[in-house]
Amino acid sequence: MLFRSRPSRDTSGGLRFNFRGAPLETVLNYLSEAAGFVIVLETPVRGNVDMWSAQPVSKTEAVQLLNMAINKSGYTAALKGRTLVVSSKEDARKRSIPIRTGNDPRQIPDNAEMVMQIIPLERIDASQAAADLATLLPNSATITANVDSNSLVVIDTQSNVRHIVELVSALDGSAGDRKSTRLNSSH
């Protein structure tokens, strides 16, 4: 038997979570009531959520926790002002998701927000990198090479993008080391 208790709002303004086997719709209703979010469903949602916290969480943390919980079911949530838009990850790729640029994994938050990340490359070829990396990516990720700017364009959660950028950064950096080693050994 699953234990479910009614989540409560902390008097300090934080949100308390205690969802064990709770229908996703129940969690969304709670976020609307307790956090004041306006919920917009761009797709019908199904599934149960298991997430709890003994300590209050902020609204931002609540959305991050929600994303982590629903990500495995193929959904994502994006907060735009007070509006929490829930859609399938597939639909999210085609709509207005945040666009980030950079190749430093330390600058990418480790959360489940869907983003489009443009990763500039310095030493390796974008087309070859995209082909090489395609088999290493999670099924949820897409990768495209932009030849003109020698960049990769990756769409996925920031956690997955961060991991991909770590890999790309290591490959891009080691390519420079290999080239300089070859130049030094030829003299």
Side-chain angles (χ1 to χ4, degrees):
M1 181 171 165
L2 293 173
F3 168 75
R4 282 189 208 156
S5 71
R6 179 106 175 123
S8 63
R9 184 177 179 123
D10 187 74
T11 55
S12 65
L15 303 168
R16 292 235 185 217
F17 278 27
N18 191 3
F19 297 106
R20 298 169 196 247
L24 177 54
E25 189 172 306
T26 300
V27 176
L28 294 172
N29 285 337
Y30 167 70
L31 288 173
S32 178
E33 291 171 17
F37 293 143
V38 176
I39 309 296
V40 175
L41 297 179
E42 290 189 341
T43 188
V45 294
R46 293 189 307 258
N48 293 329
V49 173
D50 290 305
M51 63 180 177
W52 57 91
S53 172
Q55 301 299 316
V57 298
S58 69
K59 290 179 181 183
T60 302
E61 290 170 321
V63 173
Q64 290 174 2
L65 288 169
L66 176 66
N67 263 316
M68 289 173 63
I70 66 176
N71 198 271
K72 63 182 180 267
S73 299
Y75 303 117
T76 187
L79 187 60
K80 296 177 180 180
R82 281 187 47 217
T83 305
L84 185 65
V85 180
V86 179
S87 61
S88 71
K89 289 172 78 175
E90 191 60 37
D91 288 344
R93 292 179 209 282
K94 298 172 185 149
R95 66 175 166 80
S96 172
I97 59 175
I99 299 171
R100 310 275 193 255
T101 302
N103 55 10
D104 183 352
R106 297 170 298 186
Q107 300 297 316
I108 301 171
D110 190 7
N111 65 44
E113 180 186 358
M114 290 283 294
V115 295
M116 179 182 298
Q117 182 81 24
I118 300 168
I119 308 167
L121 302 174
E122 295 175 16
R123 298 176 184 95
I124 58 177
D125 176 68
S127 295
Q128 187 63 50
D132 292 346
L133 292 169
T135 59
L136 302 174
L137 299 180
N139 290 339
S140 58
T142 61
I143 188 168
T144 307
N146 182 286
V147 177
D148 291 339
S149 66
N150 199 41
S151 298
L152 297 174
V153 179
V154 177
I155 301 174
D156 203 352
T157 64
Q158 288 195 110
S159 293
N160 288 344
V161 167
R162 180 185 177 114
H163 180 70
I164 294 164
V165 171
E166 287 173 345
L167 182 57
V168 168
S169 182
L171 292 171
D172 203 26
S174 68
D177 294 343
R178 193 179 74 243
K179 286 179 185 174
S180 65
T181 303
R182 269 196 233 147
L183 290 173
N184 290 338
S185 64
S186 65
H187 283 79

